[in-house]
Amino acid sequence: MADVRSTKLKFKGDKTKKKRKREDGEGGSSSRRRRTDADDQGDETWVQPSQPAEIRGPTFIYHPSDPAPISVNFDATRNRIMLLPLADAGADDLLARTPGDIAQVWVTTRVSGATTVNLRTGTGEGKFLSCDKHGLVSADREARGPQEEWTPVVLADGMVAFMSVYEKYLAVDEVAGGQLQLRGDSETVGFAERFYVKVQSKYKREAHEEEKKKEGKLAEPSMDEANTNKIYQAWGAGKSVVSGVDSKDLKRARKEGRLAEKLLDQRSKLKSDRFC
């Protein structure tokens, strides 16, 4: 019997993550099962982004064209973008489709804090997807500029529209002979402008971790000296000893970025006066 090889697309440098075995049996908590399922999902599992910030790293872009869905490919040999039917298009659910060839994968990068992204080919020399003012879409530039910037818009149904720097949308267009090509001059978002996008789960988690770090930034130092002293004073027999410093001085110190230093100086002075 021939060995069955996995068709999951992997990239150089990615580590293979082993699945964790279930040890809690049927009686395990639902939260524990969800965590286990998340671990079993694997870093390379292809998932849909729920917000623009999650679109990063290896990216699979395809369109629900009729009669068969098509993927946005890059032909490195001919150095051009190709819209090709997905293999076995009717074999499974459209939402479950994943790339089967490196030519179907683009690499999404972004400048930290920016709302725009760059789409680079995952094969060949790495060219950026660009759109000029006439709506002509190509992938023949090795450097990024304004024409290589795209703003992803995640729609209510989970599909994604890509807006160029000219505030026009990327779309699938039918040309002479029934061939399909990409255009970037659509004014509105309709069927032709809506794409399914898949990213690898580890990059989606990375976006969530960055968001948590932003939300977890330290708040401004508290000016409630009495409560702060109750927590941190190790002297005064349990009494909260506060300074007589004017609140205006504290506000001025906070604006100047030296509130903590001001409070520390006042506590040191009080402690010195008490034990002298």
Side-chain angles (χ1 to χ4, degrees), residues 8 20 36-37 49 59 64 184 197 210-211 231 234 250 267 273:
K8 183 183 290 184
R20 294 176 57 186
T36 303
D37 291 341
T59 305
V197 173
E210 288 183 3
E211 189 65 27
I231 299 173
L250 292 179
R267 286 198 294 272
D273 293 342

Side-chain angles (χ1 to χ4, degrees), residues 27-128:
S29 67
S30 59
S31 61
R32 184 177 300 176
R33 286 197 299 272
R34 284 195 296 269
R35 288 196 299 270
T36 303
D37 291 341
D39 290 338
D40 287 348
Q41 191 176 51
D43 288 343
E44 295 88 17
T45 301
W46 293 93
V47 296
Q48 282 188 279
S50 56
Q51 55 186 356
E54 296 172 359
I55 303 176
R56 58 177 67 195
T59 305
F60 176 43
I61 305 172
Y62 60 108
H63 187 272
S65 297
D66 188 33
I70 57 175
S71 61
V72 181
N73 295 25
F74 179 73
D75 188 334
T77 303
R78 288 182 283 184
N79 198 35
R80 58 181 294 187
I81 300 169
M82 304 287 290
L83 300 180
L84 301 176
L86 289 172
D88 300 325
D92 52 25
D93 182 15
L94 183 60
L95 293 176
R97 302 316 298 266
T98 59
D101 191 292
I102 189 64
Q104 298 173 325
V105 178
W106 298 76
V107 179
T108 304
T109 57
R110 68 172 69 231
V111 177
S112 179
T115 57
T116 59
V117 300
N118 301 112
L119 294 167
R120 192 181 77 246
T121 61
T123 183
E125 298 177 358
K127 306 293 182 66
F128 290 95

Side-chain angles (χ1 to χ4, degrees), residues 88-197:
D88 300 325
D92 52 25
D93 182 15
L94 183 60
L95 293 176
R97 302 316 298 266
T98 59
D101 191 292
I102 189 64
Q104 298 173 325
V105 178
W106 298 76
V107 179
T108 304
T109 57
R110 68 172 69 231
V111 177
S112 179
T115 57
T116 59
V117 300
N118 301 112
L119 294 167
R120 192 181 77 246
T121 61
T123 183
E125 298 177 358
K127 306 293 182 66
F128 290 95
L129 185 71
S130 64
C131 178
D132 66 14
K133 63 181 180 180
H134 303 295
L136 297 178
V137 177
S138 61
D140 55 8
R141 299 182 182 180
E142 297 181 1
R144 71 190 80 186
Q147 291 188 345
E148 286 70 49
E149 293 183 356
W150 299 90
T151 301
V153 180
V154 178
L155 306 173
D157 58 1
M159 299 183 75
V160 179
F162 292 93
M163 185 173 67
S164 73
V165 67
Y166 301 105
E167 298 185 351
K168 304 291 180 64
Y169 293 97
L170 184 70
V172 174
D173 184 39
E174 185 175 349
V175 295
Q179 292 187 342
L180 299 176
Q181 68 175 20
L182 289 180
R183 293 281 302 177
D185 54 2
S186 293
E187 299 280 353
T188 59
V189 176
F191 177 76
E193 293 76 26
R194 305 162 78 92
F195 295 86
Y196 285 110
V197 173

